[in-house]
Short mmCIF file of all heavy atoms in Angstrom, two decimals:
data_model
loop_
_atom_site.label_atom_id
_atom_site.label_comp_id
_atom_site.label_asym_id
_atom_site.label_seq_id
_atom_site.Cartn_x
_atom_site.Cartn_y
_atom_site.Cartn_z
N PHE M 3 0.84 -1.22 0.02
CA PHE M 3 -0.03 0.02 0.05
C PHE M 3 0.88 1.20 0.04
O PHE M 3 0.53 2.25 -0.66
CB PHE M 3 -0.90 0.04 1.25
CG PHE M 3 -1.92 -1.07 1.28
CD1 PHE M 3 -2.31 -1.67 2.48
CD2 PHE M 3 -2.57 -1.49 0.10
CE1 PHE M 3 -3.23 -2.68 2.53
CE2 PHE M 3 -3.49 -2.53 0.15
CZ PHE M 3 -3.87 -3.14 1.38
N ALA M 4 1.98 1.24 0.76
CA ALA M 4 2.82 2.39 0.84
C ALA M 4 3.44 2.68 -0.56
O ALA M 4 3.62 3.82 -0.93
CB ALA M 4 3.97 2.15 1.83
N GLY M 5 3.76 1.62 -1.33
CA GLY M 5 4.29 1.84 -2.68
C GLY M 5 3.26 2.55 -3.55
O GLY M 5 3.63 3.42 -4.33
N VAL M 6 2.02 2.12 -3.44
CA VAL M 6 0.99 2.77 -4.24
C VAL M 6 0.77 4.25 -3.83
O VAL M 6 0.70 5.14 -4.64
CB VAL M 6 -0.39 2.07 -4.07
CG1 VAL M 6 -1.50 2.82 -4.72
CG2 VAL M 6 -0.27 0.64 -4.66
N LEU M 7 0.77 4.50 -2.53
CA LEU M 7 0.62 5.83 -1.99
C LEU M 7 1.81 6.70 -2.44
O LEU M 7 1.65 7.87 -2.77
CB LEU M 7 0.53 5.82 -0.47
CG LEU M 7 0.13 7.19 0.17
CD1 LEU M 7 -1.11 7.70 -0.38
CD2 LEU M 7 0.10 7.00 1.72
N GLY M 8 3.01 6.10 -2.52
CA GLY M 8 4.17 6.87 -3.01
C GLY M 8 4.03 7.27 -4.46
O GLY M 8 4.50 8.36 -4.87
N GLU M 9 3.36 6.44 -5.25
CA GLU M 9 3.14 6.79 -6.64
C GLU M 9 2.26 7.98 -6.78
O GLU M 9 2.43 8.86 -7.66
CB GLU M 9 2.56 5.59 -7.42
CG GLU M 9 3.50 4.42 -7.55
CD GLU M 9 2.85 3.20 -8.09
OE1 GLU M 9 1.64 3.35 -8.54
OE2 GLU M 9 3.42 2.10 -8.15
N PHE M 10 1.24 8.06 -5.94
CA PHE M 10 0.28 9.17 -5.99
C PHE M 10 0.86 10.43 -5.39
O PHE M 10 0.53 11.55 -5.77
CB PHE M 10 -1.02 8.81 -5.26
CG PHE M 10 -1.95 7.94 -5.99
CD1 PHE M 10 -1.76 6.56 -6.00
CD2 PHE M 10 -2.97 8.43 -6.78
CE1 PHE M 10 -2.58 5.74 -6.74
CE2 PHE M 10 -3.80 7.66 -7.47
CZ PHE M 10 -3.63 6.31 -7.48
N GLY M 11 1.79 10.24 -4.50
CA GLY M 11 2.39 11.41 -3.86
C GLY M 11 1.49 11.95 -2.74
O GLY M 11 0.29 11.74 -2.76
N LEU M 12 2.09 12.60 -1.79
CA LEU M 12 1.39 13.20 -0.66
C LEU M 12 1.43 14.69 -0.77
O LEU M 12 2.53 15.25 -1.00
CB LEU M 12 1.94 12.71 0.70
CG LEU M 12 1.71 11.25 1.02
CD1 LEU M 12 2.59 10.82 2.17
CD2 LEU M 12 0.27 11.02 1.34
N PRO M 13 0.32 15.39 -0.60
CA PRO M 13 0.31 16.80 -0.75
C PRO M 13 1.21 17.51 0.29
O PRO M 13 1.32 17.10 1.45
CB PRO M 13 -1.16 17.20 -0.47
CG PRO M 13 -1.95 16.00 -0.65
CD PRO M 13 -0.99 14.82 -0.31
N GLU M 14 1.88 18.54 -0.16
CA GLU M 14 2.80 19.27 0.72
C GLU M 14 2.00 19.83 1.90
O GLU M 14 1.00 20.52 1.74
CB GLU M 14 3.44 20.42 -0.08
CG GLU M 14 4.51 21.15 0.69
CD GLU M 14 5.77 20.32 0.75
OE1 GLU M 14 6.01 19.45 -0.11
OE2 GLU M 14 6.58 20.57 1.68
N GLY M 15 2.47 19.52 3.09
CA GLY M 15 1.80 20.06 4.28
C GLY M 15 0.57 19.34 4.70
O GLY M 15 -0.10 19.76 5.69
N GLN M 16 0.14 18.31 3.98
CA GLN M 16 -1.11 17.61 4.28
C GLN M 16 -0.82 16.09 4.42
O GLN M 16 -1.70 15.29 3.99
CB GLN M 16 -2.17 17.87 3.23
CG GLN M 16 -2.56 19.30 3.13
CD GLN M 16 -3.54 19.71 4.22
OE1 GLN M 16 -3.66 19.00 5.18
NE2 GLN M 16 -4.25 20.83 4.00
N PHE M 17 0.34 15.73 4.93
CA PHE M 17 0.68 14.33 5.01
C PHE M 17 -0.25 13.49 5.84
O PHE M 17 -0.71 12.44 5.39
CB PHE M 17 2.13 14.22 5.58
CG PHE M 17 2.60 12.85 5.76
CD1 PHE M 17 3.26 12.16 4.76
CD2 PHE M 17 2.44 12.16 6.99
CE1 PHE M 17 3.73 10.84 4.92
CE2 PHE M 17 2.91 10.89 7.15
CZ PHE M 17 3.51 10.22 6.12
N VAL M 18 -0.57 13.99 7.04
CA VAL M 18 -1.37 13.20 7.96
C VAL M 18 -2.82 12.96 7.41
O VAL M 18 -3.24 11.81 7.40
CB VAL M 18 -1.42 13.86 9.34
CG1 VAL M 18 -2.39 13.14 10.29
CG2 VAL M 18 0.01 13.87 9.99
N PRO M 19 -3.57 13.97 7.05
CA PRO M 19 -4.89 13.69 6.55
C PRO M 19 -4.90 12.81 5.27
O PRO M 19 -5.80 11.99 5.12
CB PRO M 19 -5.52 15.02 6.26
CG PRO M 19 -4.38 16.00 6.17
CD PRO M 19 -3.32 15.44 7.08
N ALA M 20 -3.87 12.97 4.44
CA ALA M 20 -3.79 12.10 3.24
C ALA M 20 -3.54 10.63 3.63
O ALA M 20 -4.21 9.75 3.09
CB ALA M 20 -2.71 12.59 2.30
N LEU M 21 -2.63 10.46 4.56
CA LEU M 21 -2.33 9.07 4.97
C LEU M 21 -3.50 8.39 5.69
O LEU M 21 -3.82 7.28 5.38
CB LEU M 21 -1.12 9.13 5.95
CG LEU M 21 -0.59 7.80 6.45
CD1 LEU M 21 -0.09 6.97 5.33
CD2 LEU M 21 0.50 7.99 7.48
N ILE M 22 -4.15 9.16 6.56
CA ILE M 22 -5.31 8.61 7.25
C ILE M 22 -6.43 8.32 6.27
O ILE M 22 -7.11 7.30 6.36
CB ILE M 22 -5.76 9.55 8.40
CG1 ILE M 22 -4.70 9.67 9.48
CG2 ILE M 22 -7.08 9.05 9.00
CD1 ILE M 22 -5.00 10.67 10.55
N GLY M 23 -6.69 9.28 5.36
CA GLY M 23 -7.76 9.09 4.40
C GLY M 23 -7.50 7.87 3.50
O GLY M 23 -8.42 7.08 3.26
N PHE M 24 -6.26 7.72 3.03
CA PHE M 24 -5.91 6.56 2.22
C PHE M 24 -6.18 5.26 2.99
O PHE M 24 -6.71 4.32 2.44
CB PHE M 24 -4.47 6.64 1.77
CG PHE M 24 -3.96 5.55 0.88
CD1 PHE M 24 -4.21 5.60 -0.50
CD2 PHE M 24 -3.37 4.45 1.40
CE1 PHE M 24 -3.79 4.60 -1.34
CE2 PHE M 24 -2.95 3.39 0.59
CZ PHE M 24 -3.15 3.49 -0.79
N ASN M 25 -5.75 5.21 4.24
CA ASN M 25 -5.92 4.03 5.01
C ASN M 25 -7.37 3.68 5.24
O ASN M 25 -7.80 2.53 5.18
CB ASN M 25 -5.18 4.17 6.35
CG ASN M 25 -4.90 2.83 7.03
OD1 ASN M 25 -4.32 1.95 6.43
ND2 ASN M 25 -5.39 2.70 8.27
N ILE M 26 -8.17 4.71 5.53
CA ILE M 26 -9.60 4.49 5.72
C ILE M 26 -10.23 3.99 4.38
O ILE M 26 -11.10 3.08 4.36
CB ILE M 26 -10.30 5.76 6.17
CG1 ILE M 26 -9.89 6.05 7.62
CG2 ILE M 26 -11.84 5.65 6.06
CD1 ILE M 26 -10.47 7.33 8.16
N GLY M 27 -9.79 4.55 3.27
CA GLY M 27 -10.31 4.10 1.98
C GLY M 27 -9.99 2.63 1.73
O GLY M 27 -10.83 1.88 1.21
N VAL M 28 -8.77 2.23 2.15
CA VAL M 28 -8.38 0.80 2.02
C VAL M 28 -9.32 -0.08 2.86
O VAL M 28 -9.79 -1.11 2.42
CB VAL M 28 -6.92 0.64 2.40
CG1 VAL M 28 -6.58 -0.85 2.60
CG2 VAL M 28 -6.00 1.19 1.37
N GLU M 29 -9.60 0.39 4.13
CA GLU M 29 -10.46 -0.37 4.96
C GLU M 29 -11.87 -0.45 4.40
O GLU M 29 -12.48 -1.58 4.44
CB GLU M 29 -10.55 0.26 6.32
CG GLU M 29 -9.21 0.28 7.06
CD GLU M 29 -8.43 -1.05 6.93
OE1 GLU M 29 -9.05 -2.11 7.19
OE2 GLU M 29 -7.30 -1.03 6.52
N LEU M 30 -12.39 0.59 3.88
CA LEU M 30 -13.72 0.57 3.27
C LEU M 30 -13.73 -0.42 2.07
O LEU M 30 -14.73 -1.12 1.85
CB LEU M 30 -14.12 1.95 2.85
CG LEU M 30 -14.38 2.95 4.02
CD1 LEU M 30 -14.73 4.37 3.45
CD2 LEU M 30 -15.52 2.48 4.89
N GLY M 31 -12.63 -0.41 1.32
CA GLY M 31 -12.58 -1.35 0.21
C GLY M 31 -12.61 -2.76 0.67
O GLY M 31 -13.30 -3.63 0.03
N GLN M 32 -11.86 -3.08 1.72
CA GLN M 32 -11.85 -4.44 2.26
C GLN M 32 -13.20 -4.84 2.79
O GLN M 32 -13.69 -5.95 2.57
CB GLN M 32 -10.78 -4.53 3.33
CG GLN M 32 -9.35 -4.39 2.82
CD GLN M 32 -8.36 -4.36 3.93
OE1 GLN M 32 -7.14 -4.37 3.64
NE2 GLN M 32 -8.73 -4.23 5.15
N LEU M 33 -13.83 -3.87 3.51
CA LEU M 33 -15.17 -4.24 4.02
C LEU M 33 -16.17 -4.41 2.92
O LEU M 33 -17.10 -5.22 2.97
CB LEU M 33 -15.65 -3.05 4.92
CG LEU M 33 -14.88 -2.96 6.26
CD1 LEU M 33 -15.38 -1.69 7.06
CD2 LEU M 33 -15.09 -4.20 7.09
N ALA M 34 -16.02 -3.70 1.79
CA ALA M 34 -16.88 -3.88 0.63
C ALA M 34 -16.71 -5.27 0.04
O ALA M 34 -17.70 -5.93 -0.38
CB ALA M 34 -16.59 -2.81 -0.46
N VAL M 35 -15.47 -5.77 0.06
CA VAL M 35 -15.23 -7.12 -0.45
C VAL M 35 -15.85 -8.14 0.47
O VAL M 35 -16.53 -9.09 0.04
CB VAL M 35 -13.71 -7.39 -0.55
CG1 VAL M 35 -13.40 -8.83 -0.89
CG2 VAL M 35 -13.11 -6.45 -1.64
N ILE M 36 -15.74 -7.95 1.76
CA ILE M 36 -16.31 -8.91 2.70
C ILE M 36 -17.84 -8.85 2.63
O ILE M 36 -18.53 -9.91 2.64
CB ILE M 36 -15.91 -8.55 4.19
CG1 ILE M 36 -14.39 -8.85 4.31
CG2 ILE M 36 -16.69 -9.30 5.21
CD1 ILE M 36 -13.80 -8.41 5.65
N ALA M 37 -18.42 -7.70 2.48
CA ALA M 37 -19.88 -7.54 2.30
C ALA M 37 -20.36 -8.28 1.07
O ALA M 37 -21.39 -8.93 1.14
CB ALA M 37 -20.27 -6.09 2.30
N ALA M 38 -19.60 -8.16 -0.03
CA ALA M 38 -19.98 -8.83 -1.23
C ALA M 38 -19.89 -10.38 -1.08
O ALA M 38 -20.77 -11.10 -1.52
CB ALA M 38 -19.05 -8.40 -2.36
N CYS M 39 -18.86 -10.83 -0.38
CA CYS M 39 -18.72 -12.26 -0.12
C CYS M 39 -19.91 -12.79 0.73
O CYS M 39 -20.44 -13.83 0.44
CB CYS M 39 -17.42 -12.56 0.59
SG CYS M 39 -15.94 -12.36 -0.41
N PHE M 40 -20.25 -12.00 1.71
CA PHE M 40 -21.36 -12.42 2.64
C PHE M 40 -22.65 -12.45 1.87
O PHE M 40 -23.45 -13.38 2.05
CB PHE M 40 -21.44 -11.46 3.81
CG PHE M 40 -22.51 -11.84 4.80
CD1 PHE M 40 -22.24 -12.89 5.73
CD2 PHE M 40 -23.73 -11.22 4.83
CE1 PHE M 40 -23.23 -13.26 6.63
CE2 PHE M 40 -24.73 -11.58 5.72
CZ PHE M 40 -24.47 -12.66 6.60
N ALA M 41 -22.89 -11.46 0.99
CA ALA M 41 -24.08 -11.39 0.20
C ALA M 41 -24.23 -12.60 -0.71
O ALA M 41 -25.34 -13.10 -0.95
CB ALA M 41 -24.16 -10.12 -0.62
#
């Protein structure tokens, strides 16, 4: 995941919200996969 985030780059001065947002997005994606499997 860090490699992918490095490709996108992190905005100057906005490292923390970008990192947290990316991580939450990853989690939501994983939960979407689990929800689809359960369905």
